[in-house]
Amino acid sequence: MKLFNKTTLFLTGCALAAGLQACTNTASNEEKKTNTVVLPDSLQEYVNARIKTYESVKLTTNLNQLSTAERKMLPLLIQAAQIMDELFWLQAYPQQDSLLNAVKDDRAKEYIRINYGPWDRLNNNKPFIAGIGAKPAGASFYPADMTKEELEKSDLKDKYGQYSVVRRDSTGKLMTVPYHELFATQLQRASSLLKQAALIAEDEGLKNYLNLRADALTSDNYTASDLAWMDMKNNGLDIIIGPIENYEDNMFNARASYEAYVLVKDKAWSKRLEKYVSLLPGLQKGLPVPAKYKQEKPGVDSELNAYDVVYYAGDCNAGSKTIAVNLPNDPIIQQKKGTRRSQLKNAMQAKFDKILVPIANELIDKEQQQYINFDAFFANVMFHEVAHGLGIKKTVNGKGLVKDALKEQFSWLEEGKADVLGLYMVTNMLKAGELQGDIKTYYTTYMAGLLRSVRFGAASAHGRANMQCFNYFKQQGAFLRGTNGTYKIDYAKFEQAMNGLSKMILTLQGDGDHAAVAKAQAENAVISNELKQDLDKLNNKGIPVDIVFQQGVDVLGGL
């Protein structure tokens, strides 16, 4: 099969850009005269305003806790992560260099880098560079002229493959190209770096995982490395690396995007979290749905750990930043082994301090603001990730896996499930005495978290999930908006709404009803004019929407 080099990828990007009105390596005559980008519809003003919605944060950790070997490994892991950044650019917007060369304003360049392209990820993918049209639903995973129906009717064996792209051959017929062929040069470099780190690693579990992951990058066979990752127990460092999430593929939710996290374990916090995974089977039995929607048994051979993240790259660094991770995504591995839930504590603390607390001070009822605290925020986020292991992976009516049945509607509904079932877990563990604290702190902090996450917009799966939750809870009277524009929680109705939304989502998933989920998104995953006014108030107060990172070896220092 023909191997696509960088030039071919760029031409593919230009073909893609034909649907975006123009390829961005060519400046207009007026641009050349003024030596700046022409923004006739005040897009420059838009960029100037929007770039302020990100707060810069340094990613650091206590290097004194690391061994000499671990200090030597970190730069290698960061270099491997940086290659995932290169690859994600090729997936999200292949003509990166030509775009950045055409744009002269430094703030616009920076906003392009934050968004990995010219579309505002936290504002429904609004174009913010003149001459750029709508973002393609399939990114660069598919030919620009391909329709959904054409692929669906094709006889390609790998038409919905996670680790390939769809292209046209010389006759115009659809074909697929595996990632490990398409990106062979970059993946070989990343693989070599992981192998070098494995030679230094002292922990045998980490050494085995790094070697297997290095092989997986150059073969697209990830199962063995995922299983090795799950078996790893005593590692102080970790790296999540490869093509993992399907969010960028908004056409079929099939193809995975490259990303990486480089992590340093917080062993004290991790020790505190060990007991919670063992509670999953009991919580599964108590889900508020009929028995057929909860008959699966969640895996309990899972790791639940807290980390400082010292490097983000690729998909997880685009737009809103992930603060907790639940992997692997493979439903077969999840049922057999469970998942590894990684809480990114330093990034979580930054979002709490710089975003959630200021939002609560503006929009939560003054008498209830006392219930906002970091431990509740940490628990809500943590149990969101744990809750991905609850519920149902296979439909109850023979439609196969939920993910396959729901296609592009899967991700946002799954995030909504994890949100509300995370709250369900907190509620039931408090009642059982397995978790300490006042339910009011968890519910009030959850409400502030909703107001934080709906700002991610409809282009984000997490944003759509939180919009649905906000609207459902509002309809159920779980909170009331006062005349002063603040939200007051009815704690009894909050629990009732939690159970009602849990039942609705689990039923939609179990039925694999694509049309019903699409209808639910269209009707419920929306921001009302009233809520928009409240969110605008946050923007006017200068409260950031999300964070961007100062990161890397130079920021860490002392290596």
Side-chain angles (χ1 to χ4, degrees), residues 388-554:
H388 277 297
L390 293 177
I392 195 162
K393 299 292 185 293
K394 294 181 180 178
T395 58
V396 300
N397 48 15
K399 292 184 179 179
L401 295 173
V402 173
K403 183 179 185 297
D404 295 338
L406 297 186
K407 296 182 179 177
E408 83 285 355
Q409 295 293 335
F410 172 77
S411 288
W412 81 271
L413 192 67
E414 174 64 18
E415 294 303 331
K417 180 203 83 172
D419 270 343
V420 72
L421 291 191
L423 194 65
Y424 158 83
M425 290 185 69
V426 165
T427 302
N428 284 275
M429 285 192 291
L430 280 170
K431 290 178 179 179
E434 297 287 355
L435 190 65
Q436 304 304 311
D438 186 339
I439 192 65
K440 292 179 181 178
T441 65
Y442 295 95
Y443 283 4
T444 310
T445 304
Y446 183 91
M447 182 68 201
L450 279 181
L451 294 167
R452 178 184 72 87
S453 296
V454 293
R455 299 174 81 199
F456 295 159
S460 159
H462 296 81
R464 294 195 294 274
N466 280 275
M467 289 175 201
Q468 175 183 245
C469 185
F470 179 92
N471 289 324
Y472 186 92
F473 276 45
K474 180 181 178 180
Q475 293 163 10
Q476 302 301 313
F479 57 80
L480 295 174
R481 183 181 182 275
T483 55
N484 63 350
T486 62
Y487 293 85
K488 187 170 186 178
I489 296 163
D490 183 318
Y491 294 105
K493 290 183 179 179
F494 213 80
E495 181 175 354
Q496 294 170 10
M498 171 195 77
N499 287 326
L501 183 57
S502 298
K503 181 178 181 180
M504 185 185 89
I505 291 176
L506 290 170
T507 302
L508 285 170
Q509 287 188 324
D511 292 343
D513 193 336
H514 182 276
V517 178
K519 183 171 184 281
Q521 176 182 304
E523 294 177 353
N524 301 323
V526 293
I527 294 179
S528 67
N529 289 332
E530 182 180 75
L531 178 57
K532 185 179 184 303
Q533 291 174 8
D534 295 332
L535 300 182
D536 286 344
K537 182 164 65 173
L538 301 179
N539 296 336
N540 294 336
K541 290 282 185 177
I543 298 172
V545 177
D546 211 77
I547 52 182
V548 291
F549 300 119
Q550 301 170 48
Q551 57 179 0
V553 172
D554 291 343

Side-chain angles (χ1 to χ4, degrees), residues 284-285 287 289-298 335 391-397 510:
Q284 174 84 351
K285 290 179 181 179
L287 289 172
V289 285
K292 65 179 180 178
Y293 295 101
K294 55 183 177 182
Q295 60 188 348
E296 296 175 9
K297 294 182 179 179
Q335 286 188 308
I392 195 162
K393 299 292 185 293
K394 294 181 180 178
T395 58
V396 300
N397 48 15

Side-chain angles (χ1 to χ4, degrees), residues 6 54 87 211 221 227 263 315 353 391 426 442 488 543:
K6 188 173 183 180
Y54 286 88
L87 293 176
N211 279 317
N221 296 316
L227 291 171
L263 307 169
D315 189 44
D353 293 339
V426 165
Y442 295 95
K488 187 170 186 178
I543 298 172

Side-chain angles (χ1 to χ4, degrees), residues 280-319:
L280 280 175
L283 290 162
Q284 174 84 351
K285 290 179 181 179
L287 289 172
V289 285
K292 65 179 180 178
Y293 295 101
K294 55 183 177 182
Q295 60 188 348
E296 296 175 9
K297 294 182 179 179
V300 295
D301 186 19
S302 300
E303 286 284 296
L304 184 56
N305 293 304
Y307 292 89
D308 280 340
V309 55
V310 296
Y311 205 87
Y312 282 78
D315 189 44
C316 61
N317 195 42

